[in-house]
Amino acid sequence: MVGSDTTETALDRAFTALGDPVRRAIVARLSRGEATVNELADLFPITKQAVSRHIGVLEDAGLITRSRDGQRRPCHLDPAALERLTAWIDGYRLAAESRFRKLDAVLESLKEEEER
C-alpha cells in the first residue's frame, strides 16, 4: 500500500511524533477535550517549555491544532489526522486477517479430511 510522497511524509511525521510517550499522553488527554499548554504541563514532571516543544511536534505532524479564545490558546486533537493513521493501519490489518481466514479454512478442511 504505497501512497503519494505527501501522504508518506505525513504518515512518517505522525508516527514519529507518536513515538514519544509524553506526546502519546498529550494526545490521550486531548482525546477527552481541549486543553491549554499550562493545563497539559500540569500533567508532566517536565518544564512548560518542554511541553510546548512536544505540542509543537504534534502540531507540525498535523495531529493537533490550536485556536484562540481570548487570552487562551487551547490545543485540540485533530480526529481526521488520527483517522488517516488508523485507515493506513487498517489496510494492513484487513489484508492480514484475510490471509488468516484463508489459512483457517485450509486447516479446517485438513481436519475434516483426517476425521473421515
Side-chain angles (χ1 to χ4, degrees), residues 89-99 101:
I89 292 168
D90 277 348
Y92 291 100
R93 181 185 57 79
L94 293 172
E97 284 179 3
S98 174
R99 287 191 304 273
R101 280 192 298 276

Side-chain angles (χ1 to χ4, degrees), residues 23-89:
R23 292 192 285 266
R24 287 193 306 273
I26 290 171
V27 167
R29 167 53 189 84
L30 292 176
S31 72
R32 297 190 310 270
E34 69 179 34
T36 63
V37 173
N38 287 332
E39 292 166 340
L40 292 168
D42 288 342
L43 303 174
F44 304 100
I46 58 177
T47 66
K48 179 180 168 186
Q49 291 76 19
V51 171
S52 288
R53 284 192 298 273
H54 283 297
I55 289 169
V57 170
L58 290 167
E59 206 170 10
D60 289 345
L63 297 171
I64 67 170
T65 59
R66 290 195 227 190
S67 62
R68 187 171 295 281
D69 180 15
Q71 293 292 329
R72 294 180 74 237
R73 290 207 28 147
C75 301
H76 311 269
L77 189 59
D78 182 352
L82 293 180
E83 180 59 35
R84 286 188 295 274
L85 294 176
T86 57
W88 181 84
I89 292 168

